[in-house]
Amino acid sequence: MTELSVEQMNYGPLNALIGTWKGDDGMDVAPEPDGEEHSPFYEVITIEPAGDVDNAEEQELMILRYHQAVFRKSNDKQFHDQVGYWLWCEASQTIMQTLTIPRGVSLLAGGTATVEADTTTLQVEAKDGDPDWGIVQSPFMRKKARTLGFRHRVNVSGDTLRYEETTLLDIYDKHNFEHTDGNTLTRQR
């Protein structure tokens, strides 16, 4: 890790993500044995600088750490917890997202960022079996609720963050079910 302060570090397009974000306009479309469930939700996403790291003395990555907590509006109970990192490699102009959920699923997604005026857009994807941007899941999840793919698009304009993500699943005898989530959040600090 470099001895620079957070203000001196160049997080590139990841700069737009830093902060605590809150949103209460989310919609989760999830599989159920007899169809699908549409659940309105609210959430808090905390994204903070975590410095940089050199890989094999050749690749420098800028790192943000995040935590996402999601609650159903119907009963105020948390139904999703996610931790991970956003990474940026300036040399290759690659954006990466790692995530882990406490169901026995982790992934590394890769993609691109575009910055136009005050709007930053990040897009990443991962696929089961992909040697570069892949998904790891427990034996139970592979058998009962296999994650086949993941797409995530984040758009930040000023203090507004909008995201859409799709997790492709094989679950409940449904092949290629598109489990979707999306929300609009506002930066709190």
Side-chain angles (χ1 to χ4, degrees):
M1 298 263 182
T2 304
E3 296 295 325
L4 298 173
S5 71
V6 170
E7 294 79 26
Q8 294 172 310
M9 299 188 92
N10 177 12
Y11 287 93
L14 297 181
N15 275 324
L17 296 176
I18 297 171
T20 298
W21 302 86
K22 293 184 179 180
D24 65 356
D25 195 29
M27 180 58 69
D28 173 63
V29 178
E32 289 294 324
D34 58 352
E36 61 186 44
E37 177 182 37
H38 295 246
S39 296
F41 66 83
Y42 64 93
E43 68 186 310
V44 177
I45 304 174
T46 303
I47 305 172
E48 58 191 9
D52 66 339
V53 66
D54 288 329
N55 281 335
E57 298 181 7
E58 292 181 24
Q59 181 189 45
E60 183 177 13
L61 298 176
M62 302 308 297
I63 308 161
L64 301 180
R65 175 179 35 248
Y66 77 92
H67 177 240
Q68 179 180 19
V70 185
F71 304 83
R72 289 188 204 287
K73 284 186 172 183
S74 63
N75 59 16
D76 290 325
K77 292 195 184 228
Q78 185 172 356
F79 73 98
H80 184 77
D81 189 88
Q82 181 175 308
V83 295
Y85 294 94
W86 282 97
L87 305 105
W88 178 55
C89 177
E90 182 178 17
S92 67
Q93 296 293 298
T94 302
I95 292 289
M96 293 173 255
Q97 179 187 8
T98 70
L99 70 83
T100 299
I101 58 172
R103 293 178 181 267
V105 178
S106 296
L107 64 82
L108 172 62
T112 60
T114 57
V115 179
E116 296 178 2
D118 73 337
T119 300
T120 300
T121 303
L122 310 175
Q123 295 185 96
V124 294
E125 290 188 36
K127 292 182 181 151
D128 187 28
D130 189 297
D132 296 324
W133 312 115
I135 300 165
V136 179
Q137 43 208 318
S138 71
F140 178 88
M141 293 301 281
R142 265 195 329 271
K143 183 177 179 184
K144 296 289 187 176
R146 186 179 195 114
T147 300
L148 303 171
F150 173 80
R151 293 186 312 269
H152 193 185
R153 178 184 169 93
V154 178
N155 182 283
V156 180
S157 184
D159 288 329
T160 301
L161 181 151
R162 290 179 182 84
Y163 76 85
E164 299 168 355
E165 70 180 37
T166 301
T167 306
L168 198 59
L169 300 171
D170 274 352
I171 186 171
Y172 306 130
D173 295 323
K174 295 173 176 65
H175 185 64
N176 290 322
F177 182 91
E178 291 192 355
H179 176 185
T180 61
D181 292 287
N183 201 357
T184 298
L185 301 95
T186 303
R187 190 184 334 251
Q188 304 300 297
R189 58 179 173 94

